Amino acid sequence: MGQREEPRRAHPRDGELGEAVERAQDGDEAAFAVAYRIVQPGLLGYLRGLVGDDAEDVASDAWLEIARDLGRFKGDGAGFRGWTATIARHRALDHLRRRRVRPRPSALEQDVLDLPGPHSTHDQALEAMSTEQALRLVGGLPQDQAEAVLLRVVVGLDGPAAARVLGKRPGAVRTAAYRGLKRLATRLGAEGVTDEAPRTLGESK
C-alpha cells in the first residue's frame, strides 16, 4: 500500500543556476553572486525553520563553506541546490548543538496511515502557500515532516534530493512530505493561515 512516485519538480531557474555555478568554478565572482541570489532565499527560509532567528548567521557560515568547497562540487543546478541545503543543514545542526538545544524526537503518529489521496492534495498545498505561510504553518508539524516540507516547498528540491540532504531513504521522505503536506492542506482549507510566528524545529510549545 505504497504511495505513487512524486513527479520530479524542476525549479524554473535551475538551468541558469547550473550555468552560473560552472562559471563560478572557473573563477567568475559575478557568476557566484548570481548563484547566491538564486539559492539564498530558499536556503534562508529552510534555515529559519531549523534555527529561527539565527538563520542569517547560520546561512553566512554555510556560504563560507560553500565558497571554500565550490571546486569540489559536481552536478547541475538542481544538484547544487541540494548540495547547498546539505551544507546548511549541517551548519544548523552544529549551531543547535552549540546552543545545547536538542530537537525533540519525531512525534510520528502511530495511528493507521491514511490512504494516499490524489496528487491534487499536494499541488493545492504547494500552490496555496507562500514562503511566509509555509514557515508559519510548519512550526506545528513533527520535525521529520517539517524538514521534508521545507526542503520540498521552500528550497525546491524533489523527493530524492531531499532524501539525500536528510540522509534517509526516498520512501521515508516521501511519506513524511505526504503527511506534512496533507496536514497543511487541511489547515489551509479548514483553519486558514495562523498568526503564530514560526518556531525553531523541535522547540516546545
Side-chain angles (χ1 to χ4, degrees):
M1 191 167 65
Q3 292 148 334
R4 290 176 292 176
E5 184 73 28
E6 292 181 24
R8 181 183 177 90
R9 294 176 180 272
H11 193 281
R13 300 189 70 183
D14 276 347
E16 178 187 359
L17 176 58
E19 293 174 3
V21 170
E22 188 174 347
R23 294 197 308 273
Q25 288 178 315
D26 290 333
D28 187 335
E29 293 184 7
F32 184 82
V34 170
Y36 173 87
R37 286 195 296 271
I38 293 173
V39 172
Q40 173 68 354
L43 204 64
L44 192 60
Y46 175 50
L47 288 171
R48 283 189 186 124
L50 293 175
V51 299
D53 292 339
D54 295 330
E56 294 272 3
D57 291 339
V58 175
S60 295
D61 290 342
W63 278 105
L64 286 173
E65 183 173 342
I66 291 164
R68 184 194 70 199
D69 295 342
L70 184 63
R72 302 178 187 176
F73 170 74
K74 294 180 181 178
D76 56 10
F80 185 75
R81 200 179 294 279
W83 182 66
T84 56
T86 299
I87 291 174
R89 185 173 191 265
H90 289 162
R91 297 290 69 76
L93 295 178
D94 287 345
H95 179 79
L96 290 173
R97 280 191 287 268
R98 285 195 299 270
R99 288 197 328 191
R100 299 185 181 183
V101 174
R102 294 169 52 191
R104 68 184 173 211
S106 302
L108 287 177
E109 299 169 344
Q110 297 302 312
D111 54 356
V112 178
L113 178 63
D114 291 333
L115 290 173
H119 283 292
S120 59
T121 299
H122 297 124
D123 295 338
Q124 289 168 2
L126 291 169
E127 291 169 4
M129 282 191 295
S130 68
T131 298
E132 291 304 315
Q133 286 175 319
L135 291 174
R136 282 196 293 269
L137 289 171
V138 295
L141 296 177
Q143 183 181 347
D144 66 323
Q145 295 179 21
E147 279 207 75
V149 170
L150 285 168
L151 287 169
R152 290 277 290 106
V153 178
V154 181
V155 181
L157 301 183
D158 62 15
R164 286 192 292 273
V165 171
L166 297 173
K168 297 182 177 180
R169 291 176 300 172
V173 175
R174 280 197 303 274
T175 297
Y178 173 81
R179 288 177 169 179
L181 286 169
K182 184 166 184 179
R183 284 188 179 192
L184 293 178
T186 299
R187 292 177 187 177
L188 284 167
E191 301 173 13
V193 177
T194 67
D195 293 328
E196 296 179 0
R199 297 195 314 274
T200 299
L201 290 188
E203 182 179 87
S204 299
K205 290 184 179 180

